[in-house]
Amino acid sequence: MPKTAGLGAAHEGYFYQDLATAYFLAEGLVRQVERITVDRKEYEGDLFDDLTVHDGSRIVRRQFKYREHVDRELQAKDFTTRISRLRIDDVVRCYKRAGDSPADEYRICTRWTKPEDTDLADLLAPSEAAPSFNGYQSRLFRLRAELIWPSNGEPIWGPLRDSEDFSRADFLAFAERLVIELECPGMSQDPFNPGPLENLLLHVLKERIGVGRWPNQDLRGEDAALRLIVRATDARTHSETLACRDIETALHISTDFGRVAQQFPLDRRQLVSREVFRASLRERILSNRIVVLTGHPGSGKSWTLTDLAERLVNEGHLVARHYCFLEPGDPEVAKRIITGTLFGNLVAEILDVDTSLRAGDRPMYSAGAEELQSIVASALEADAGRRVVLIVDGLDHIARVLRETPEVAPQDTSIVEELALLDLPEGACLVIGSQPGSHLEPLLASGHSRLVELPPWTREETEELAQRLGVVEALQTSGLEGTQADLVASLHERSEGNPLYATVLSRQVLAELTGKGATDPVSLVRQAPAIQGEISNYYDYLLRNASGEARVVADLLGHIDFGLSENELQEIFPNIAAHIPQALVHLSSVLARVSAQGGVRIYHESFRRFIVERRQAGGHRPRDILDPVIGWLSTRGFYEDARAYRFLPPCLRRAGHKADLLDLISRDFVSKSVEQGHPRAAIRNNLAIGIDVAAEERSWQSLARLTELRRSLHTCFEEKLLDFDLYGRAYMSLFGAHSLAERLLFDGRPTMDRNQGLLLCSLCDDAGVAPPWQEYLILRKEAQEREGWEPYALAEFHGALRVQGVEKMGERLVGWLNNVPEPSVRYLRGMLERLGRAGGQKAIEAVLEATNASDEVRALIKAELARAHHAAGDRERAEGIATEAVQQSKLSELAFECLGFGAEPGDVAKRCPDLGHLNISLGANAYHADEAPVRAWVAGVGIVAATKPGQLTALR
C-alpha cells in the first residue's frame, strides 16, 4: 500500500483506521480474543464504532482520530463542540444508549498531543490503562470528572449544562470507563518503507505470530501486513465481525507448525517385548541428555523406541516423536526429512499433550530450535517431576530419501546438525534411532551423549516371534510339531539375532507350509544364506532363485509407493499373467498384505532400496518398469480413481515423462479435483510435484498456471468451501454415499481432518452406508471453535454412539449433564435425537430418570422424548410428555415446539411472551436485531395463532 499523495484528512483517517485495525487483528490473534467488530454502529449516536474487541468477558470500544503531523494538541473544543465528533454530551449519550450492556472501556486513540492549555490539562489525570500498542509509549489520560461536574455545582462545560437526558451519575460512570490515548504511533502508509505503526504491526506478525519462520517461511512480513490491512479495509466496508479463524485465513498462514501425520505401523501382534533391554534403555534415557540407539537394518530400533515411548507416556513423562521414515508407500516421505517438519512435529506433539505451554513469549505458530528449547524449558518449569523425552528415529533414511526426491533442497535437511546444536535443559533427553554411520558424529561428539547399540535377539525372543507370526501353529496344523525346536534353533542361528531376517524367514516358512505343504521347513531355513549383518545378502539370494516373472514383479513393486492385487498385476503384465500367482508366492517373505486395497507391496524399505540400487547398477531406466503401470493407472481415470490420482503424477515424474505430467495438471485441475471428492492434501501434493517439475524444466507458462492453481486451492478451502455438510450432501447426490465413504480413507488412513471426516461419516451413516468411524474417532482432537462447534461435536457423538453403543453413550450423556449446568441447547437436543434414533424412547427415558439436571434441561429432554413418541405414532404419550415439558419450562420457543407434539394449548398459552413489549425493531436505539427477542417473538406469534388467533389482527 504505497503512500498516496494529496489525500484529504478523511481518507488519511481511513488509512490509519485500517492500519490500526490490522494491528489489533494481529494482536487479537496472539491473545486469542473472542471476536473483533469493525466499524459497526450498534445504535443511533454510536461514536465508538471504529473497533470493538471482545476478549472473554471484557469489551473495549475504540475510536480513532488521525492527523499526519503531530502539531495539533487536544483542545477543550474537542469536548465542547462537534468539531471532532467527540462532544462530551454526545459521548455520554453513546454510553447510556448501550443500556444494560455497555463496554468495559471506551477509548479515544489519536495522534494529538497533550494540551499545553492549563485549563484543559488540569482536567486530565494520568490513566493506569495499558497502551494500545505494545512497545510504543503513547500517553494515556482520564477525565477528572469531579472537576468537570462538581457535586455541588454546575458543569463547567456547556453541553453538560444544557443536557437534560442524563444525570451527573451517568457522566461519572462514563468517565470511569473512558481512556484518552494521545500521541499514538504515526504511519507511512507503506509496509515496505514502514513508519512507527507499520513497524509495530510487522513486529507482531514476525515475532509474535511467526510470519517468515517455519512453516510460514515463504511469507514475508510485509506481504502479511498488506493482506491484513486489505482484510481490515474489507471488514470496515462491510461492518464485519471477525474471529481468530478469519484472521488466520486472511493471513494465509499455516497453523499446524508444519507437522505431518505420525502413526508408526507398530503391529502389537508381532511385537516381542524385550523387557530387560527396554528397562536398561529407559534408565539411560532418564539419566542422560542425549541417547543414540544404533542398529543394523531390521534390528527393531523403531519398534523398540515406539513401544518405549508409549510406556514413558503412561508413566507421566512428556514425550514427542518424529519419524524420518515410516513405511513404504508413505505419501509424506519427502516432508519427513525436512528440518522444519522435525521441529514442527516435536513442538506440536508437546503442545497437544500440555496446551498450557502454548502461552509464552515465543511466536505462536512457528516451530524451530528456539521454540522447541523454550517450550521444553517451560514444560520442565511447570512440572519438575516429569521428564521431557524427544525421540527422533530413522536419521539414516535422510540421505537415501534425499537422493530419490529432487524437489527437496539438501540445505533443508540438516536435521542432524540442528539436533546437535540443541541446548536442552536438565530433565530433557534427546533420543536418536539410526543405523550406525558417520552421519551421527555431530551428535556423538557432544559430551552429554551416550551410545547404545541394540543387542541381537536371544533364542527365546526368536521363538516368541515365531509363535506370534503363526509359525508354531502352522507346524501343528501340518503335523510337524516335532520339528519346532529344530526350526526355532535354525531360525535363530540363520537370522543372527536380526528381527527382520527372522521375520522374513518365518514368512517364507509360512508361505511354503500353507502354499506347497512343505515337509521339511528346517532344511528350508538352513538353505537360506548367512547375511553377516547385511540383509541385502538374503534379497540377492531370493532374486537369484526367482523366475524372470517374479523378478519383474519385484522390480515394479520396488519402484512404486502403493499396493497391487494379483488381478491388477495381471492387468499390468498380461503377457506373464499366468505366472503372477507363483511369483507372489516366491516373493511372499518380502511382501506385505495391504488390507485396505486387497493387494501386496514391499514389506520393508531395505528391499525397495535393494531393488532400486540393483537396477541402477544394471543400467536400467525407471521408465522401463514404470511405463506399464503408468498406462494401467491412466486407463482407470485420473480424477475418478484414488490411486491414479495420487500416484500417476509421481510415477510420470520418476519415469521422466515431465511434459505429460504438466499436461495432466490442467487449468481446471482444482475444480475437477474438488468435484471428485479428493482431499486438500492430495490436491496440494500433486500441485507441488507439478510446480517442481515446471521449475526444473523452466516451463514458465506451466509454472505461472500451477502457481495460480495453488492460490485457487487456498481460496477454495479457506474462503469458499466452508460448509462441509453441504459439500458432502452435494457429493452424495452426484456419486452416492458409497463413493463418499470410500473417499474418506485411502490405504486404510483418513483423508480428511477429524472434524470434516466425522461430519461426512455422519452423512454416510444416515444414508445407510457404514463409514470409517473408528479411523476418525482416534485422530487427534482439533481445537474447538468458540462458535459453530456443535455440528462437529454432534458428528463425534454419532460416531461414538455407533462404536460404543447406546447404553455406554447414554451413561456418558448423563454424566455430562450432571456436570454442565447450562448446556448448549442445540448440542443437547442433537445428542438426544441421535440417542433416540439408535435406542428408541427407552434410551431417552433412561437419561431423564438418571440425570439431576435443572428443570429447564429436563424440559428439553422431555420435549425430545415427546418428539420420539410422536414420530413412533404414540400420540397420547407424546401429548402428555409435551404438556409436562411446557409446564416445567419457561421458554416460549419450547412451548411453541411442543404444540406440534400435542401439548395442552392452555398450558402453552401461558408461555406466550408479551409481544407488544418485545423490541425486535431497528431504529434510533438499535441498528442490529437481537436474536433472542426475535426468536421469542416468532414463537409468540405462533402460540397466538394456535391458541388465540383473533389477537393477530390486534397485533398488526
Side-chain angles (χ1 to χ4, degrees):
M1 187 171 55
K3 182 174 176 66
T4 305
L7 290 177
H11 289 85
E12 286 184 351
Y14 283 136
F15 274 119
Y16 191 81
Q17 179 182 340
D18 294 340
L19 178 57
T21 297
Y23 172 84
F24 284 105
L25 290 177
E27 272 286 331
L29 182 58
V30 171
R31 300 204 318 268
Q32 291 289 290
V33 302
E34 184 177 345
R35 62 186 185 276
I36 298 176
T37 301
V38 184
D39 207 41
R40 175 168 170 164
K41 288 188 180 296
E42 298 295 335
Y43 39 78
E44 181 70 26
D46 186 356
L47 298 177
F48 289 86
D49 59 324
D50 282 353
L51 197 71
T52 303
V53 178
H54 295 257
D55 190 359
S57 61
R58 181 173 171 77
I59 301 174
V60 177
R61 308 196 71 199
R62 283 181 172 82
Q63 195 71 11
F64 300 105
K65 300 295 178 182
Y66 177 77
R67 289 293 183 274
E68 182 176 5
H69 301 291
V70 188
D71 55 3
R72 156 70 149 99
E73 298 176 5
L74 179 69
Q75 302 171 3
K77 65 181 180 181
D78 290 317
F79 297 109
T80 58
T81 71
R82 291 195 170 100
I83 185 174
S84 301
R85 298 184 67 240
L86 292 174
R87 204 174 77 172
I88 190 64
D89 57 330
D90 292 337
V91 294
V92 174
R93 290 189 187 95
C94 166
Y95 157 75
K96 191 176 179 183
R97 283 172 181 164
D100 296 332
S101 54
D104 297 278
E105 179 184 299
Y106 296 85
R107 184 175 293 214
I108 301 167
C109 297
T110 178
R111 294 271 291 139
W112 304 336
T113 60
K114 180 183 177 181
E116 297 295 332
D117 176 9
T118 56
D119 289 342
L120 179 58
D122 290 344
L123 299 179
L124 300 177
S127 171
E128 296 180 356
S132 292
F133 306 94
N134 288 328
Y136 189 89
Q137 192 55 55
S138 52
R139 307 187 68 176
L140 295 99
F141 299 92
R142 61 177 178 84
L143 292 177
R144 300 180 67 180
E146 70 283 356
L147 296 181
I148 297 172
W149 194 334
S151 60
N152 56 357
E154 291 288 315
I156 64 173
W157 284 345
L160 293 176
R161 291 195 300 270
D162 299 336
S163 299
E164 299 179 354
D165 52 347
F166 59 82
S167 65
R168 179 176 182 271
D170 294 326
F171 168 68
L172 294 178
F174 169 69
E176 287 181 1
R177 299 169 188 252
L178 178 65
V179 175
I180 303 168
E181 187 166 13
L182 304 178
E183 301 178 25
C184 289
M187 66 173 180
S188 68
Q189 301 180 33
D190 182 3
F192 294 95
N193 182 28
L197 185 48
E198 287 90 354
N199 273 324
L200 290 170
L201 173 57
L202 290 170
H203 176 80
V204 176
L205 291 170
K206 295 176 181 179
E207 304 301 325
R208 304 288 303 285
I209 293 176
V211 170
R213 305 174 185 228
W214 177 270
N216 298 295
Q217 71 278 10
D218 295 329
L219 176 59
R220 292 188 300 176
E222 294 80 4
D223 292 328
L226 285 172
R227 289 175 179 175
L228 217 49
I229 294 168
V230 170
R231 187 66 184 91
T233 303
D234 194 50
R236 173 174 57 80
T237 303
H238 298 94
S239 300
E240 290 184 77
T241 296
L242 305 179
C244 288
R245 179 61 180 152
D246 301 310
I247 302 168
E248 292 169 350
T249 299
L251 287 171
H252 295 195
I253 58 172
S254 173
T255 60
D256 63 357
F257 303 102
R259 73 192 305 175
V260 294
Q262 297 202 110
Q263 188 172 354
F264 184 79
L266 182 63
D267 188 348
R268 292 204 167 272
R269 295 171 300 177
Q270 301 180 24
L271 178 63
V272 175
S273 181
R274 310 186 71 186
E275 295 291 347
V276 175
F277 174 71
R278 189 177 62 233
S280 172
L281 180 60
R282 175 187 176 277
E283 290 305 314
R284 292 174 182 177
I285 288 174
L286 297 182
S287 59
N288 288 277
R289 296 278 188 93
I290 301 176
V291 173
V292 180
L293 177 66
T294 63
H296 291 288
S299 59
K301 300 180 296 296
S302 299
W303 281 32
T304 298
L305 291 176
T306 300
D307 180 51
L308 181 61
E310 294 178 2
R311 293 173 185 266
L312 289 171
V313 168
N314 292 334
E315 292 176 11
H317 300 294
L318 188 55
V319 180
R321 291 168 281 189
H322 174 73
Y323 296 95
C324 297
F325 185 82
L326 282 182
E327 60 180 338
D330 175 19
E332 308 284 8
V333 62
K335 295 179 182 178
R336 296 191 192 283
I337 67 169
I338 295 175
T339 307
T341 306
L342 158 82
F343 287 116
N345 277 338
L346 295 178
V347 166
E349 289 205 355
I350 293 175
L351 297 180
D352 285 346
V353 175
D354 191 343
T355 57
S356 67
L357 298 174
R358 290 182 179 272
D361 189 19
R362 69 181 75 92
M364 64 184 302
Y365 292 131
S366 69
E370 292 181 12
E371 290 84 353
L372 178 62
Q373 290 170 169
S374 172
I375 290 171
V376 169
S378 298
L380 293 170
E381 289 174 7
D383 185 354
R386 66 182 173 186
R387 296 277 290 185
V388 177
V389 181
L390 309 176
I391 298 176
V392 181
D393 183 43
L395 293 184
D396 50 282
H397 289 281
I398 296 175
R400 190 263 310 164
V401 175
L402 183 60
R403 288 194 301 270
E404 299 176 4
T405 50
E407 66 269 23
V408 178
Q411 62 267 27
D412 293 335
T413 62
S414 56
I415 288 179
V416 174
E417 292 76 11
E418 290 284 349
L419 290 176
L421 293 173
L422 280 179
D423 184 16
L424 295 176
E426 185 73 33
C429 181
L430 172 64
V431 183
I432 301 297
S434 175
Q435 293 182 32
S438 59
H439 62 283
L440 296 175
E441 290 176 359
L443 289 162
L444 295 175
S446 168
H448 300 294
S449 64
R450 179 72 176 271
L451 177 64
V452 179
E453 295 182 4
L454 196 63
W457 275 17
T458 64
R459 184 188 183 282
E460 291 73 21
E461 289 167 341
T462 303
E463 184 172 12
E464 183 181 345
L465 176 68
Q467 289 174 336
R468 288 178 173 274
L469 289 174
V471 174
V472 174
E473 182 181 353
L475 289 175
Q476 294 170 349
T477 302
S478 302
L480 300 173
E481 57 268 25
T483 66
Q484 177 178 336
D486 287 342
L487 179 62
V488 170
S490 299
L491 273 175
H492 182 63
E493 177 186 357
R494 188 58 70 200
S495 67
E496 303 170 9
N498 181 287
L500 176 59
Y501 196 18
T503 299
V504 296
L505 288 176
S506 296
R507 291 162 64 90
Q508 185 174 351
V509 169
L510 281 171
E512 293 292 331
L513 288 173
T514 57
K516 297 180 179 179
T519 58
D520 191 5
V522 177
S523 296
L524 181 68
V525 172
R526 289 175 177 170
Q527 290 169 7
I531 61 171
Q532 299 176 331
E534 293 293 338
I535 190 67
S536 59
N537 290 328
Y538 171 75
Y539 298 148
D540 183 67
Y541 160 81
L542 183 69
L543 292 188
R544 277 191 287 106
N545 291 280
S547 65
E549 294 81 7
R551 287 196 289 270
V552 169
V553 171
D555 286 346
L556 175 61
L557 294 177
H559 279 78
I560 62 176
D561 300 320
F562 55 97
L564 290 169
S565 69
E566 180 180 304
N567 289 337
E568 290 168 342
L569 284 165
Q570 290 173 326
E571 292 174 3
I572 295 170
F573 299 117
N575 294 336
I576 60 171
H579 302 279
I580 295 293
Q582 186 56 42
L584 293 177
V585 171
H586 182 80
L587 296 171
S588 59
S589 63
V590 294
L591 300 181
R593 288 282 167 187
V594 186
S595 58
Q597 299 171 356
V600 294
R601 69 177 178 203
I602 298 298
Y603 171 68
H604 195 268
E605 174 60 21
S606 56
F607 183 59
R608 179 180 181 275
R609 187 161 61 243
F610 173 81
I611 290 292
V612 172
E613 292 174 354
R614 173 177 166 271
R615 284 183 56 82
Q616 287 176 343
H620 300 288
R621 300 178 305 170
R623 71 167 55 185
D624 297 332
I625 193 66
L626 286 173
D627 278 351
V629 78
I630 288 172
W632 177 77
L633 287 172
S634 299
T635 62
R636 296 176 68 87
F638 175 56
Y639 291 102
E640 293 76 14
D641 183 77
R643 268 188 295 176
Y645 187 83
R646 283 167 173 78
F647 297 118
L648 184 55
C651 282
L652 287 170
R653 181 182 193 175
R654 205 169 290 166
H657 300 305
K658 297 182 178 180
D660 293 338
L661 170 60
L662 295 177
D663 289 341
L664 185 67
I665 307 177
S666 56
R667 59 187 300 177
D668 54 359
F669 168 76
V670 171
S671 59
K672 282 187 175 181
S673 299
V674 173
E675 175 190 334
Q676 291 292 331
H678 294 293
R680 182 179 185 177
I683 304 172
R684 183 176 58 239
N685 287 343
N686 281 342
L687 284 173
I689 292 173
I691 289 172
D692 287 333
V693 169
E696 291 169 6
E697 297 298 292
R698 298 188 178 183
S699 176
W700 310 127
Q701 181 179 358
S702 298
L703 189 60
R705 181 183 76 249
L706 291 162
T707 301
E708 287 304 310
L709 283 171
R710 185 171 62 178
R711 191 189 306 272
S712 71
L713 176 66
H714 181 277
T715 301
C716 173
F717 282 92
E718 294 293 340
E719 301 176 16
K720 303 296 183 182
L721 186 54
L722 303 178
D723 188 343
F724 260 78
D725 179 79
L726 179 61
Y727 173 71
R729 294 179 188 279
Y731 185 91
M732 284 198 305
S733 68
L734 292 172
F735 305 107
H738 284 283
S739 179
L740 180 59
E742 290 173 358
R743 284 286 193 256
L744 290 173
L745 289 182
F746 182 77
D747 201 9
R749 301 187 184 98
T751 57
M752 306 281 182
D753 66 34
R754 189 177 192 270
N755 282 346
Q756 294 170 354
L758 289 173
L759 202 63
L760 298 180
C761 281
S762 185
L763 292 177
C764 292
D765 197 303
D766 287 340
V769 173
W773 280 120
Q774 187 65 47
E775 288 83 350
Y776 278 93
L777 286 170
I778 64 175
L779 290 180
R780 177 180 59 89
K781 283 195 175 186
E782 301 166 33
Q784 181 173 290
E785 298 285 348
R786 290 189 176 95
E787 297 180 359
W789 57 270
E790 290 96 340
Y792 304 112
L794 286 173
E796 180 180 7
F797 182 84
H798 186 185
L801 191 62
R802 287 297 194 191
V803 172
Q804 300 182 31
V806 172
E807 183 177 354
K808 179 68 174 178
M809 293 309 297
E811 293 172 356
R812 288 181 58 184
L813 177 54
V814 170
W816 180 76
L817 284 171
N818 291 343
N819 287 284
V820 181
E822 296 182 5
S824 160
V825 173
R826 181 182 181 188
Y827 184 40
L828 174 58
R829 296 293 296 271
M831 287 191 290
L832 291 168
E833 189 269 338
R834 285 290 179 194
L835 194 67
R837 272 204 231 177
Q841 297 94 306
K842 290 184 178 180
I844 303 177
E845 288 171 354
V847 172
L848 183 62
E849 293 172 4
T851 184
N852 57 11
S854 66
D855 286 347
E856 282 294 349
V857 172
R858 293 179 66 83
L860 288 170
I861 298 174
K862 288 180 179 179
E864 199 58 48
L865 182 57
R867 179 198 299 277
H869 280 294
H870 190 272
D874 189 350
R875 301 300 174 87
E876 183 177 351
R877 185 79 177 116
E879 290 171 4
I881 296 174
T883 300
E884 291 178 16
V886 172
Q887 293 170 345
Q888 199 165 12
S889 173
K890 298 178 181 179
L891 298 176
S892 57
E893 298 101 300
L894 185 72
F896 178 51
E897 180 185 5
C898 286
L899 266 177
F901 308 141
E904 176 61 39
D907 288 309
V908 173
K910 295 176 183 178
R911 298 290 179 259
C912 185
D914 185 350
L915 299 177
H917 288 83
L918 277 177
N919 184 11
I920 63 169
S921 62
L922 304 180
N925 294 321
Y927 276 18
H928 311 282
D930 188 5
E931 180 182 356
V934 171
R935 291 173 64 90
W937 186 85
V938 171
V941 171
I943 292 172
V944 171
T947 60
K948 300 177 183 179
Q951 292 185 3
L952 291 178
T953 303
L955 286 174
R956 291 197 192 99

